[in-house]
Amino acid sequence: MGLVTGCIQIVQDYRTQTKRDETFIQSILQISSSGAAEAAFQLDSDLAAEAIKSLMIYDFMFQVRISDERGAVLAEVRRAFEPSLLDRLTPLFSKPFRNYSIDLTNQSTRLNVGTLEVMVNQNTLLSDFYSRSVRSMLSGLLKNLILTLILLNLFYVTLSRPLSWLAEKLNRVDPRQPEPFDLPGSIGKAENEVTMVALSANSILAASRKHLQELEEANSKALKLDEKLRQSERLSVVGQLVGGVAHDYNNILAIILGNLELVRPERLTQAERKALERARSTVIRGADLAAQLLVFSRKQPLAPSIILAGDFLQELHKFSRPVLGEQHEFNFAADPDVWPCLADKRQLEAALLNLTINASHATPKGGKILIECFNARLDAEYCATEDTLEPGDYVCFRVSDTGEGMSETVMSHAFEPYFTTKPEGEGSGLGLSMVYGFAKQSGGHVKIHSQENVGTRVELYLPRSEQEADGQIPGMAHPHIAAGRENLSGKRILVVEDHPDVLEVVKDHLETMQATVITFTSGQDAIAYAQNNTPVDIAILDVILTDSMNGPDVKEVLSQLWPGLKTVFMSGYSEGILGETGRFDQNTILLQKPFSRQRLVEVLTQLNEVCDGP
């Protein structure tokens, strides 16, 4: 731009200088015209030569000629010409010579007497102008060069170098771990476009780092959730298998126990009676084992009641201290404002006792064991990571120890039945699985926190009860059953059981009690009998039947045919009459297989003397 404006200015100066020179030459010609006019009037060549000399004093005059009115030359002078470099260059843009003329007039007569002509060397005339222009151009070029250098340096310092630094920083950014970078003072204080770009890049890097952290956390949560779901599915499958096995196992134990109790001990020798008692005790231990498996598979019947944690922990302390021994520091702590919870008290005692025994085994040389109870609120975000857990208020029982702790691998299998880290013969591996099944069936949750060589704490969450603490949930608690009588003379009892051997054992016991027994292996056959016969006093129905109707279905039809019928259910496991809640329906009595003769007598006595419902 500087060069362009300089050239424009030179062109303007050239035009101005040219006009000024034309005026100057015209003035010279006008001054010299009087002498030349006198010489032309007199046709005096000498006088004309004298007039020409006065004009040749100017070095830019290349040629001067004086002619009369007829065009005859009176005098002429031409300067020798040796072209310079400038003369060779100027023809490219202008003529190096220019002609000027003026008419000569006699002053007295006012007549035209001739002509004065001159040829001017423009380059000589404009030499000063050219010198000034060259100096001006060189000066402008120098100024422009200096300005350009200054601008280039400013561009480098303020833009090029910061951009190169920024590009280098961005090229070094690890896309897996983007980190914002500190800005040097030259950029941070500049507050220009480069600063804005650098700040924007830092903002993007910070947002990318945060996003990657969120993705990593989400991925970690997803992996944990996936692992929990797999564990839950694994435990669910194991629970289904265990429940089915326990059902068949209890039927077998029911047959064995029933037949053992049909044997008349008074007819046996002392050795035979001992053998009989050992067999009976073994069956009962097997029944307890099956009951533990049913707790894990969530098919154990529950009798929930409202429990006050403070009072409950005091009762637990009384019978747990002798179990643990004196080598452990054993403490209880319950918040004063802890909510009441809803749970089966007997199962809760068993669960906490199991956790306490596990804690004592984890501290064989003695240590601290703490049982706490406090309020807890589980939100939707946490419950979304757990299977079948609803957000809400819970009462948490926590058992903590300062023992050996568990590894991540051990914790991932801790709730599986028969999984144990104890030496063979020192543990069944059912303790934690029972706690897990009880928590899930109660609508609660269990969580293990452990660190090797530091300790373990197990948290058992049970739903908060919204009812009064001094009340009992109607129909939930199992009524007390008093000792019964074995004389059922005159009673008609209907028994429906699809397992022939179990059916035969129950029939034999009832007949030894003088009852009239009607048996069926199918619910359809029992209903067909009821349609054409008088009502019976009591119906004993197996819950799970192999035909299209189960025990509750048969009861519903029989109750319509025989209003006021008293019913007892029996089952190797409770699924089918307890539904999704795992709790007793109102006025339901269950004979859990295998049951003893005495238990059968107590239930039948209850039906005759206590239960007024259907």
PDB file of all heavy atoms in Angstrom, residues 386-411:
ATOM      1  N   GLU A 386     -29.416 -52.829  42.524  1.00  0.00           N
ATOM      2  CA  GLU A 386     -29.710 -54.052  43.254  1.00  0.00           C
ATOM      3  C   GLU A 386     -30.969 -54.695  42.715  1.00  0.00           C
ATOM      4  O   GLU A 386     -31.900 -54.012  42.280  1.00  0.00           O
ATOM      5  CB  GLU A 386     -29.878 -53.762  44.761  1.00  0.00           C
ATOM      6  CG  GLU A 386     -28.660 -53.130  45.414  1.00  0.00           C
ATOM      7  CD  GLU A 386     -27.466 -54.067  45.444  1.00  0.00           C
ATOM      8  OE1 GLU A 386     -27.678 -55.291  45.402  1.00  0.00           O
ATOM      9  OE2 GLU A 386     -26.325 -53.569  45.512  1.00  0.00           O
ATOM     10  N   ASP A 387     -31.028 -55.993  42.763  1.00  0.00           N
ATOM     11  CA  ASP A 387     -32.152 -56.744  42.223  1.00  0.00           C
ATOM     12  C   ASP A 387     -33.334 -56.707  43.192  1.00  0.00           C
ATOM     13  O   ASP A 387     -33.185 -56.982  44.386  1.00  0.00           O
ATOM     14  CB  ASP A 387     -31.718 -58.192  41.972  1.00  0.00           C
ATOM     15  CG  ASP A 387     -32.815 -59.017  41.324  1.00  0.00           C
ATOM     16  OD1 ASP A 387     -33.590 -58.433  40.539  1.00  0.00           O
ATOM     17  OD2 ASP A 387     -32.895 -60.229  41.608  1.00  0.00           O
ATOM     18  N   THR A 388     -34.510 -56.351  42.680  1.00  0.00           N
ATOM     19  CA  THR A 388     -35.796 -56.368  43.416  1.00  0.00           C
ATOM     20  C   THR A 388     -35.757 -55.549  44.702  1.00  0.00           C
ATOM     21  O   THR A 388     -36.418 -55.902  45.685  1.00  0.00           O
ATOM     22  CB  THR A 388     -36.212 -57.818  43.750  1.00  0.00           C
ATOM     23  OG1 THR A 388     -35.273 -58.388  44.689  1.00  0.00           O
ATOM     24  CG2 THR A 388     -36.270 -58.680  42.493  1.00  0.00           C
ATOM     25  N   LEU A 389     -34.999 -54.479  44.731  1.00  0.00           N
ATOM     26  CA  LEU A 389     -34.944 -53.614  45.909  1.00  0.00           C
ATOM     27  C   LEU A 389     -35.661 -52.312  45.605  1.00  0.00           C
ATOM     28  O   LEU A 389     -35.369 -51.641  44.621  1.00  0.00           O
ATOM     29  CB  LEU A 389     -33.492 -53.341  46.308  1.00  0.00           C
ATOM     30  CG  LEU A 389     -33.278 -52.516  47.581  1.00  0.00           C
ATOM     31  CD1 LEU A 389     -33.868 -53.232  48.788  1.00  0.00           C
ATOM     32  CD2 LEU A 389     -31.795 -52.240  47.801  1.00  0.00           C
ATOM     33  N   GLU A 390     -36.631 -51.952  46.477  1.00  0.00           N
ATOM     34  CA  GLU A 390     -37.425 -50.749  46.282  1.00  0.00           C
ATOM     35  C   GLU A 390     -36.866 -49.596  47.103  1.00  0.00           C
ATOM     36  O   GLU A 390     -36.436 -49.790  48.254  1.00  0.00           O
ATOM     37  CB  GLU A 390     -38.887 -51.000  46.682  1.00  0.00           C
ATOM     38  CG  GLU A 390     -39.604 -52.037  45.832  1.00  0.00           C
ATOM     39  CD  GLU A 390     -39.798 -51.558  44.411  1.00  0.00           C
ATOM     40  OE1 GLU A 390     -39.907 -50.336  44.212  1.00  0.00           O
ATOM     41  OE2 GLU A 390     -39.834 -52.405  43.496  1.00  0.00           O
ATOM     42  N   PRO A 391     -36.861 -48.371  46.561  1.00  0.00           N
ATOM     43  CA  PRO A 391     -36.414 -47.209  47.350  1.00  0.00           C
ATOM     44  C   PRO A 391     -37.350 -46.973  48.532  1.00  0.00           C
ATOM     45  O   PRO A 391     -38.548 -47.245  48.451  1.00  0.00           O
ATOM     46  CB  PRO A 391     -36.487 -46.058  46.343  1.00  0.00           C
ATOM     47  CG  PRO A 391     -36.548 -46.697  44.992  1.00  0.00           C
ATOM     48  CD  PRO A 391     -37.227 -48.014  45.175  1.00  0.00           C
ATOM     49  N   GLY A 392     -36.798 -46.462  49.618  1.00  0.00           N
ATOM     50  CA  GLY A 392     -37.648 -46.155  50.763  1.00  0.00           C
ATOM     51  C   GLY A 392     -36.880 -46.200  52.069  1.00  0.00           C
ATOM     52  O   GLY A 392     -35.641 -46.173  52.104  1.00  0.00           O
ATOM     53  N   ASP A 393     -37.629 -46.271  53.169  1.00  0.00           N
ATOM     54  CA  ASP A 393     -37.058 -46.271  54.516  1.00  0.00           C
ATOM     55  C   ASP A 393     -36.831 -47.706  54.982  1.00  0.00           C
ATOM     56  O   ASP A 393     -37.701 -48.583  54.826  1.00  0.00           O
ATOM     57  CB  ASP A 393     -37.989 -45.556  55.486  1.00  0.00           C
ATOM     58  CG  ASP A 393     -38.114 -44.073  55.162  1.00  0.00           C
ATOM     59  OD1 ASP A 393     -37.181 -43.542  54.537  1.00  0.00           O
ATOM     60  OD2 ASP A 393     -39.135 -43.461  55.524  1.00  0.00           O
ATOM     61  N   TYR A 394     -35.664 -47.916  55.592  1.00  0.00           N
ATOM     62  CA  TYR A 394     -35.300 -49.235  56.088  1.00  0.00           C
ATOM     63  C   TYR A 394     -34.667 -49.102  57.475  1.00  0.00           C
ATOM     64  O   TYR A 394     -34.153 -48.038  57.836  1.00  0.00           O
ATOM     65  CB  TYR A 394     -34.302 -49.922  55.148  1.00  0.00           C
ATOM     66  CG  TYR A 394     -34.889 -50.314  53.810  1.00  0.00           C
ATOM     67  CD1 TYR A 394     -35.008 -49.384  52.783  1.00  0.00           C
ATOM     68  CD2 TYR A 394     -35.320 -51.611  53.578  1.00  0.00           C
ATOM     69  CE1 TYR A 394     -35.554 -49.738  51.551  1.00  0.00           C
ATOM     70  CE2 TYR A 394     -35.868 -51.971  52.352  1.00  0.00           C
ATOM     71  CZ  TYR A 394     -35.979 -51.031  51.345  1.00  0.00           C
ATOM     72  OH  TYR A 394     -36.526 -51.390  50.131  1.00  0.00           O
ATOM     73  N   VAL A 395     -34.723 -50.196  58.231  1.00  0.00           N
ATOM     74  CA  VAL A 395     -33.978 -50.299  59.480  1.00  0.00           C
ATOM     75  C   VAL A 395     -32.787 -51.207  59.206  1.00  0.00           C
ATOM     76  O   VAL A 395     -32.943 -52.315  58.686  1.00  0.00           O
ATOM     77  CB  VAL A 395     -34.850 -50.875  60.604  1.00  0.00           C
ATOM     78  CG1 VAL A 395     -34.024 -51.071  61.865  1.00  0.00           C
ATOM     79  CG2 VAL A 395     -36.029 -49.947  60.884  1.00  0.00           C
ATOM     80  N   CYS A 396     -31.594 -50.711  59.510  1.00  0.00           N
ATOM     81  CA  CYS A 396     -30.368 -51.446  59.192  1.00  0.00           C
ATOM     82  C   CYS A 396     -29.777 -52.059  60.461  1.00  0.00           C
ATOM     83  O   CYS A 396     -29.563 -51.366  61.471  1.00  0.00           O
ATOM     84  CB  CYS A 396     -29.340 -50.513  58.546  1.00  0.00           C
ATOM     85  SG  CYS A 396     -27.783 -51.337  58.123  1.00  0.00           S
ATOM     86  N   PHE A 397     -29.524 -53.361  60.420  1.00  0.00           N
ATOM     87  CA  PHE A 397     -28.778 -54.068  61.460  1.00  0.00           C
ATOM     88  C   PHE A 397     -27.386 -54.335  60.906  1.00  0.00           C
ATOM     89  O   PHE A 397     -27.236 -55.001  59.874  1.00  0.00           O
ATOM     90  CB  PHE A 397     -29.464 -55.391  61.825  1.00  0.00           C
ATOM     91  CG  PHE A 397     -30.804 -55.222  62.494  1.00  0.00           C
ATOM     92  CD1 PHE A 397     -31.960 -55.112  61.738  1.00  0.00           C
ATOM     93  CD2 PHE A 397     -30.898 -55.177  63.872  1.00  0.00           C
ATOM     94  CE1 PHE A 397     -33.194 -54.957  62.336  1.00  0.00           C
ATOM     95  CE2 PHE A 397     -32.132 -55.025  64.488  1.00  0.00           C
ATOM     96  CZ  PHE A 397     -33.284 -54.911  63.724  1.00  0.00           C
ATOM     97  N   ARG A 398     -26.389 -53.840  61.613  1.00  0.00           N
ATOM     98  CA  ARG A 398     -25.008 -53.974  61.131  1.00  0.00           C
ATOM     99  C   ARG A 398     -24.189 -54.765  62.144  1.00  0.00           C
ATOM    100  O   ARG A 398     -24.162 -54.441  63.336  1.00  0.00           O
ATOM    101  CB  ARG A 398     -24.377 -52.609  60.929  1.00  0.00           C
ATOM    102  CG  ARG A 398     -22.903 -52.671  60.482  1.00  0.00           C
ATOM    103  CD  ARG A 398     -22.250 -51.318  60.583  1.00  0.00           C
ATOM    104  NE  ARG A 398     -22.756 -50.403  59.577  1.00  0.00           N
ATOM    105  CZ  ARG A 398     -22.615 -49.068  59.625  1.00  0.00           C
ATOM    106  NH1 ARG A 398     -21.972 -48.528  60.658  1.00  0.00           N
ATOM    107  NH2 ARG A 398     -23.109 -48.320  58.678  1.00  0.00           N
ATOM    108  N   VAL A 399     -23.515 -55.801  61.642  1.00  0.00           N
ATOM    109  CA  VAL A 399     -22.615 -56.603  62.470  1.00  0.00           C
ATOM    110  C   VAL A 399     -21.194 -56.373  61.948  1.00  0.00           C
ATOM    111  O   VAL A 399     -20.889 -56.690  60.791  1.00  0.00           O
ATOM    112  CB  VAL A 399     -22.981 -58.098  62.403  1.00  0.00           C
ATOM    113  CG1 VAL A 399     -22.017 -58.908  63.261  1.00  0.00           C
ATOM    114  CG2 VAL A 399     -24.416 -58.323  62.867  1.00  0.00           C
ATOM    115  N   SER A 400     -20.332 -55.825  62.806  1.00  0.00           N
ATOM    116  CA  SER A 400     -18.962 -55.479  62.408  1.00  0.00           C
ATOM    117  C   SER A 400     -17.963 -56.253  63.254  1.00  0.00           C
ATOM    118  O   SER A 400     -18.217 -56.548  64.436  1.00  0.00           O
ATOM    119  CB  SER A 400     -18.713 -53.972  62.577  1.00  0.00           C
ATOM    120  OG  SER A 400     -19.706 -53.223  61.918  1.00  0.00           O
ATOM    121  N   ASP A 401     -16.829 -56.594  62.636  1.00  0.00           N
ATOM    122  CA  ASP A 401     -15.750 -57.246  63.381  1.00  0.00           C
ATOM    123  C   ASP A 401     -14.414 -56.679  62.936  1.00  0.00           C
ATOM    124  O   ASP A 401     -14.319 -55.994  61.909  1.00  0.00           O
ATOM    125  CB  ASP A 401     -15.790 -58.765  63.196  1.00  0.00           C
ATOM    126  CG  ASP A 401     -15.517 -59.205  61.768  1.00  0.00           C
ATOM    127  OD1 ASP A 401     -14.388 -59.000  61.291  1.00  0.00           O
ATOM    128  OD2 ASP A 401     -16.427 -59.756  61.116  1.00  0.00           O
ATOM    129  N   THR A 402     -13.383 -56.974  63.711  1.00  0.00           N
ATOM    130  CA  THR A 402     -12.019 -56.534  63.400  1.00  0.00           C
ATOM    131  C   THR A 402     -11.164 -57.737  63.016  1.00  0.00           C
ATOM    132  O   THR A 402      -9.999 -57.817  63.395  1.00  0.00           O
ATOM    133  CB  THR A 402     -11.409 -55.793  64.598  1.00  0.00           C
ATOM    134  OG1 THR A 402     -11.451 -56.664  65.752  1.00  0.00           O
ATOM    135  CG2 THR A 402     -12.169 -54.528  64.908  1.00  0.00           C
ATOM    136  N   GLY A 403     -11.772 -58.654  62.267  1.00  0.00           N
ATOM    137  CA  GLY A 403     -11.108 -59.915  61.967  1.00  0.00           C
ATOM    138  C   GLY A 403     -10.310 -59.918  60.679  1.00  0.00           C
ATOM    139  O   GLY A 403      -9.784 -58.899  60.237  1.00  0.00           O
ATOM    140  N   GLU A 404     -10.285 -61.101  60.041  1.00  0.00           N
ATOM    141  CA  GLU A 404      -9.407 -61.330  58.900  1.00  0.00           C
ATOM    142  C   GLU A 404      -9.885 -60.647  57.620  1.00  0.00           C
ATOM    143  O   GLU A 404      -9.087 -60.360  56.732  1.00  0.00           O
ATOM    144  CB  GLU A 404      -9.288 -62.848  58.658  1.00  0.00           C
ATOM    145  CG  GLU A 404      -8.730 -63.591  59.859  1.00  0.00           C
ATOM    146  CD  GLU A 404      -8.848 -65.096  59.711  1.00  0.00           C
ATOM    147  OE1 GLU A 404      -9.545 -65.528  58.758  1.00  0.00           O
ATOM    148  OE2 GLU A 404      -8.276 -65.825  60.526  1.00  0.00           O
ATOM    149  N   GLY A 405     -11.179 -60.397  57.501  1.00  0.00           N
ATOM    150  CA  GLY A 405     -11.709 -59.769  56.295  1.00  0.00           C
ATOM    151  C   GLY A 405     -11.823 -60.752  55.140  1.00  0.00           C
ATOM    152  O   GLY A 405     -11.437 -61.928  55.231  1.00  0.00           O
ATOM    153  N   MET A 406     -12.385 -60.272  54.012  1.00  0.00           N
ATOM    154  CA  MET A 406     -12.589 -61.107  52.826  1.00  0.00           C
ATOM    155  C   MET A 406     -11.961 -60.438  51.613  1.00  0.00           C
ATOM    156  O   MET A 406     -11.906 -59.219  51.531  1.00  0.00           O
ATOM    157  CB  MET A 406     -14.091 -61.299  52.533  1.00  0.00           C
ATOM    158  CG  MET A 406     -14.918 -61.861  53.636  1.00  0.00           C
ATOM    159  SD  MET A 406     -16.640 -62.049  53.078  1.00  0.00           S
ATOM    160  CE  MET A 406     -17.461 -62.282  54.655  1.00  0.00           C
ATOM    161  N   SER A 407     -11.563 -61.263  50.670  1.00  0.00           N
ATOM    162  CA  SER A 407     -11.101 -60.750  49.381  1.00  0.00           C
ATOM    163  C   SER A 407     -12.317 -60.489  48.488  1.00  0.00           C
ATOM    164  O   SER A 407     -13.447 -60.906  48.792  1.00  0.00           O
ATOM    165  CB  SER A 407     -10.164 -61.756  48.715  1.00  0.00           C
ATOM    166  OG  SER A 407     -10.880 -62.946  48.377  1.00  0.00           O
ATOM    167  N   GLU A 408     -12.073 -59.813  47.359  1.00  0.00           N
ATOM    168  CA  GLU A 408     -13.159 -59.545  46.409  1.00  0.00           C
ATOM    169  C   GLU A 408     -13.750 -60.854  45.873  1.00  0.00           C
ATOM    170  O   GLU A 408     -14.954 -60.986  45.690  1.00  0.00           O
ATOM    171  CB  GLU A 408     -12.645 -58.688  45.250  1.00  0.00           C
ATOM    172  CG  GLU A 408     -12.301 -57.252  45.621  1.00  0.00           C
ATOM    173  CD  GLU A 408     -13.541 -56.420  45.897  1.00  0.00           C
ATOM    174  OE1 GLU A 408     -14.625 -56.810  45.427  1.00  0.00           O
ATOM    175  OE2 GLU A 408     -13.422 -55.396  46.591  1.00  0.00           O
ATOM    176  N   THR A 409     -12.893 -61.834  45.635  1.00  0.00           N
ATOM    177  CA  THR A 409     -13.369 -63.127  45.119  1.00  0.00           C
ATOM    178  C   THR A 409     -14.255 -63.826  46.126  1.00  0.00           C
ATOM    179  O   THR A 409     -15.318 -64.362  45.771  1.00  0.00           O
ATOM    180  CB  THR A 409     -12.158 -64.023  44.769  1.00  0.00           C
ATOM    181  OG1 THR A 409     -11.333 -63.354  43.821  1.00  0.00           O
ATOM    182  CG2 THR A 409     -12.622 -65.349  44.199  1.00  0.00           C
ATOM    183  N   VAL A 410     -13.853 -63.822  47.384  1.00  0.00           N
ATOM    184  CA  VAL A 410     -14.655 -64.473  48.427  1.00  0.00           C
ATOM    185  C   VAL A 410     -15.999 -63.772  48.566  1.00  0.00           C
ATOM    186  O   VAL A 410     -17.050 -64.414  48.668  1.00  0.00           O
ATOM    187  CB  VAL A 410     -13.895 -64.494  49.760  1.00  0.00           C
ATOM    188  CG1 VAL A 410     -14.803 -64.977  50.895  1.00  0.00           C
ATOM    189  CG2 VAL A 410     -12.665 -65.378  49.656  1.00  0.00           C
ATOM    190  N   MET A 411     -15.983 -62.423  48.551  1.00  0.00           N
ATOM    191  CA  MET A 411     -17.247 -61.684  48.692  1.00  0.00           C
ATOM    192  C   MET A 411     -18.208 -61.977  47.549  1.00  0.00           C
ATOM    193  O   MET A 411     -19.426 -61.995  47.740  1.00  0.00           O
ATOM    194  CB  MET A 411     -16.972 -60.173  48.773  1.00  0.00           C
ATOM    195  CG  MET A 411     -16.509 -59.717  50.133  1.00  0.00           C
ATOM    196  SD  MET A 411     -16.594 -57.909  50.330  1.00  0.00           S
ATOM    197  CE  MET A 411     -15.296 -57.413  49.217  1.00  0.00           C
TER     198      MET A 411
END
